[in-house]
Amino acid sequence: MSIPPNPPLISVSWSTLGNWVIGIPLRIAGLILLAIVLRWILHRVIDKVVVRAVEAPGLSGKITKMADGGEASVASSRRSQRAQAIGSLFKSVVTGVMVAIFATMILDQLGINIAPIIASAGIVGLALGFGAQSLVRDYLSGIFMIIEDQYGVGDSIEVNNISGTVEAVTLRITRLRSLDGTVWYIPNGEILTVGNHSQNWARAVIDVGVGYNEDLNKVQRVLREVSHDLWVDEEFKGQIIEEPEVTGVEALAADAITVRVLIKTLPLKQWGIAREMRQRIKARLDYEGIEMPFPQRVIWHRDEKAAASEEETAKA
């Protein structure tokens, strides 16, 4: 029985060397090239989606018809910034996921056992999930706030009983500046409800109190005339969306009858228009002789001698 000759050592060495010098580098280069091409394609898709989101008609189209060019450009700019922020977020997510996947594949090509790496990554992710729950909640809330366009920079909002103007919105926090200049930093995960005064349109609600002896038909006629004068005033043209409405008697209080006026305005214009409307109403009611009652107090001044005699009588 003949013994087969041993394979030459030189062939095994050259085969291994060729695999390490040519085969593995080529496969790694192919993976890197594939990752770059896939990343480029996905980023191009995201860019096209962002462009369509910016150019597509939405809520800002309604504002454009109601407002002047300045307000329209602000709405368009805000929509563009929001779309670009979402696109940048998606690009970062795509890049991170692809780097993790292809880095693991490259390590596998180098002969490194990736099973412990994947298991360790799962354990680390679980630990981070438990240890940084509030941080994860802040980031997830920030992502949905940006996607849903709940508010943006420059909006006047009310969050957690704090009112102010939004100065910055990140994935983790929202920065507000209140009317007195205080800057508030609010984690997005702590925001449960948001009131936005700046979206689409606003409404000024003006309650006017008149005396019980006044003619309500005359009062409502006067309020309609004042409202119409404000509606046709060139100074406020473009700021008031619809002609003001006098809804009628709103309440029968102890000392006055309340008549309500509603004015639909552009966002953030309701407060200035309401102040102007109240000033005009006061001047017109004074001219018409219509009473605007106010609470009155009666004070009794007791005579000191009478009080002393009453005390003596009580003691006796």
Side-chain angles (χ1 to χ4, degrees), residues 210 212 251-258 293 295:
V210 298
Y212 271 88
L252 300 175
D255 52 3
I257 299 176
T258 303

Side-chain angles (χ1 to χ4, degrees), residues 72-298:
S73 63
V74 170
S76 177
S77 175
R78 171 176 170 176
R79 184 172 59 176
S80 175
Q81 292 175 359
R82 169 174 165 258
Q84 291 174 2
I86 297 174
S88 177
L89 172 64
F90 286 161
K91 286 182 180 179
S92 299
V93 172
V94 167
T95 301
V97 171
M98 294 193 64
V99 167
I101 293 175
F102 281 90
T104 305
M105 295 173 68
I106 290 173
L107 292 177
D108 183 48
Q109 292 297 321
L110 293 174
I112 299 174
N113 187 8
I114 61 174
I117 297 176
I118 296 176
S120 300
I123 295 173
V124 171
L126 187 62
L128 289 176
F130 280 108
Q133 292 184 21
S134 60
L135 188 62
V136 173
R137 182 178 58 187
D138 292 342
Y139 276 97
L140 290 177
S141 298
I143 291 172
F144 283 109
M145 285 177 183
I146 294 176
I147 293 176
E148 296 171 359
D149 192 23
Q150 296 180 10
Y151 53 83
V153 176
D155 284 357
S156 176
I157 66 173
E158 183 174 348
V159 176
N160 298 347
N161 296 324
I162 301 173
S163 299
T165 302
V166 180
E167 288 192 341
V169 180
T170 66
L171 293 180
R172 194 178 71 85
I173 64 169
T174 295
R175 189 174 77 223
L176 287 181
R177 186 175 295 274
S178 61
L179 187 62
D180 60 359
T182 304
V183 178
W184 297 88
Y185 295 89
I186 306 173
N188 292 331
E190 301 296 328
I191 298 176
L192 301 180
T193 57
V194 180
N196 195 331
H197 303 289
S198 310
Q199 286 189 348
N200 301 332
W201 55 271
R203 176 172 284 149
V205 181
I206 304 167
D207 290 333
V208 182
V210 298
Y212 271 88
N213 58 342
E214 300 296 339
D215 185 358
L216 293 181
N217 292 326
K218 178 182 177 181
V219 171
Q220 295 186 50
R221 176 180 57 81
V222 170
L223 292 178
R224 290 191 185 95
E225 292 175 357
V226 176
S227 302
H228 182 75
D229 292 341
L230 185 66
W231 162 252
V232 298
D233 193 334
E234 290 294 331
E235 181 180 355
F236 298 95
K237 196 169 185 179
Q239 299 182 23
I240 302 177
I241 298 174
E242 298 176 356
E243 185 166 1
E245 177 187 5
V246 179
T247 58
V249 176
E250 184 66 24
L252 300 175
D255 52 3
I257 299 176
T258 303
V259 183
R260 176 164 292 180
V261 181
L262 300 179
I263 307 176
K264 194 173 183 179
T265 70
L266 291 179
L268 303 181
K269 301 295 184 181
Q270 66 270 29
W271 299 297
I273 291 176
R275 287 190 290 267
E276 177 67 20
M277 185 65 179
R278 292 189 188 97
Q279 182 175 346
R280 295 191 179 199
I281 289 175
K282 175 63 169 62
R284 182 64 183 275
L285 293 184
D286 289 344
Y287 176 80
E288 296 288 342
I290 298 176
E291 178 189 6
M292 298 180 66
F294 54 89
Q296 301 183 15
R297 179 179 298 174
V298 178

Side-chain angles (χ1 to χ4, degrees), residues 41 49 51:
I41 293 174
V49 172
V51 170

